[in-house]
Amino acid sequence: MEYGLELRAPFGTSHSSTSRRENALIEVWVEVPQQDGSSAVTVGVGEVGLPPKKPAAGYLSDFADVEGYPFKVAASAGHFSALRGITSFIQGGENPDEFARLVRTLLRALDEEPANVDPASRFARSGIEAAVLDLFCVHSRIPLHQLIGIDVSKEITEQGVPLGSSFYTIALNPDVQFMLQQARSSLSFTPYLKIKLDSNIEQGTEPLCTYRVLLAILNGIKKIIEEEFTEYPTWKLCIDANGAWNPEGCIEMLKVLKPLSDHIYMLEQPFPTTLLKEPSEAGTQAWKVVKAAYENAGIPIFADESMSTAADLPLLLDFVHGVNVKLEKAGGVRAALEALLQAQKFNLKLWIGIMVGSRVNCGTGAHLLPLATHGDLDGSLLTTEDSQVHEGGFVWGEGQYRGTVFLPTGLHGIGVRPKPASAH
């Protein structure tokens, strides 16, 4: 169903600015017969985050595309690949009960759908797959990360199982002071902030205008932390250009970033997606120079818009040090796992991202976070509480654990549950 989410503040990038998102919420439910003759309904849920459709940026689907995905359940034979812990039930050897067979049938049908030849189908597949996996995990009373074989055998605190650290996104806005206000609010959750920029804030001369704005933001955040958040022993910023910079601008920006390199976690997607789609010898060489310059400054470059599936990884090696893997763009949990595992083989740094959404897609992504060094799982903080229809899921750490997301013990599947009807 269409899932309208109101945003707490306008969310701007170099691609677009929105104050509301029209996502897709997917439920899969099964009636399970009980011994006393009654039946119990088990429900799995998934969400597809849908930013404004922009194929050039990798945003291939809107709600109409997801709604039109022709998914049909059919018990067809054929090879069905799986990853890591998923094999324990998908391949059928260790768990032969009817519920596991049903889930295998659903996933096999999803994988064999002819419409999958269209890359835009990945968005719909991501939400459907999440709902099916959540269904199985809820039925089996296990968390999603356990099903997919991700080790979270870390010290369990009173807040739950620590999954990893998450950044909070400060969206692009023509008012620098508004961005700093957003930074101040977000620092109550995490000392890790992602700053959205483009190449021409305030319609100034590129790159000097963004240079000036970036300098003001970096100095402003540094001042806020030093004066108001002295309890943070360390803090990190991610600069997200969303593909809007050019090689010359990147070198110019390095003058601003280098003095704060200890606090700059990464520069995300400075280059346009045409670098890979329409390569040129001059462009390739120029962006290789940028990578080397940032590497020498100790600031890694990550791909986002240019990164969708594992197939993209070899094409990115000359230009990046890491990748941002998003469930919707990959095509779901299993495809994201494949991309993450392949990226590890290439010695790339790993980041887990999600499209702006509710606790459902944030919660799904959180179960992959232990594979990465960081992520940005802040969607449920960017959207209003009243517009979300689920509660539960991961929680943000407090005190010395600010910036870490925890999964409370005892949660199954993704970890969310519908709010009481009176709550929304």
Side-chain angles (χ1 to χ4, degrees), residues 214 218 236-240 245 250-251 253-270 289-302 319-322 349:
L214 178 57
L218 293 180
K236 294 287 184 180
L237 302 178
C238 162
I239 309 302
D240 187 359
W245 291 3
C250 280
I251 299 301
M253 296 304 171
L254 193 54
K255 298 177 184 177
V256 180
L257 297 174
K258 192 171 182 178
L260 287 174
S261 60
D262 288 345
H263 296 292
I264 305 299
Y265 178 74
M266 68 153 161
L267 171 63
E268 186 173 15
Q269 190 77 28
V289 170
V290 170
K291 179 187 177 183
Y294 274 73
E295 188 172 310
N296 290 337
I299 301 173
I301 294 175
F302 278 58
F319 311 112
V320 304
H321 307 91
K349 298 177 184 294

Side-chain angles (χ1 to χ4, degrees), residues 80-83 86 90 106-108 110-111 125 129 133 148 327 330-341 368:
F80 177 64
S81 63
L83 291 169
I86 295 180
I90 286 180
L106 290 170
L107 291 173
R108 184 178 297 113
L110 182 62
D111 286 355
R125 285 152 51 194
E129 183 199 70
L133 296 179
I148 58 181
L327 295 178
V333 171
R334 291 171 296 148
L337 272 172
E338 181 183 11
L340 290 165
L341 296 174
L368 297 174

Side-chain angles (χ1 to χ4, degrees), residues 249-366:
C250 280
I251 299 301
E252 188 72 14
M253 296 304 171
L254 193 54
K255 298 177 184 177
V256 180
L257 297 174
K258 192 171 182 178
L260 287 174
S261 60
D262 288 345
H263 296 292
I264 305 299
Y265 178 74
M266 68 153 161
L267 171 63
E268 186 173 15
Q269 190 77 28
F271 49 85
T273 56
T274 53
L275 177 64
L276 301 185
K277 295 177 180 178
E278 302 170 13
S280 69
E281 184 175 347
T284 296
Q285 185 57 38
W287 285 107
K288 285 182 178 180
V289 170
V290 170
K291 179 187 177 183
Y294 274 73
E295 188 172 310
N296 290 337
I299 301 173
I301 294 175
F302 278 58
D304 178 1
E305 283 84 350
S306 293
M307 174 63 204
S308 293
T309 71
D312 297 316
L313 295 169
L315 305 175
L316 288 165
L317 294 178
D318 284 340
F319 311 112
V320 304
H321 307 91
V323 289
N324 181 345
V325 177
K326 291 181 176 175
L327 295 178
E328 291 93 343
K329 291 171 62 182
V333 171
R334 291 171 296 148
L337 272 172
E338 181 183 11
L340 290 165
L341 296 174
Q342 286 295 325
Q344 286 178 341
K345 294 179 180 179
F346 286 121
N347 295 315
L348 290 169
K349 298 177 184 294
L350 304 179
W351 179 284
I352 299 297
I354 48 96
M355 302 299 182
V356 174
S358 73
R359 287 182 177 88
V360 177
N361 71 336
C362 289
T364 307

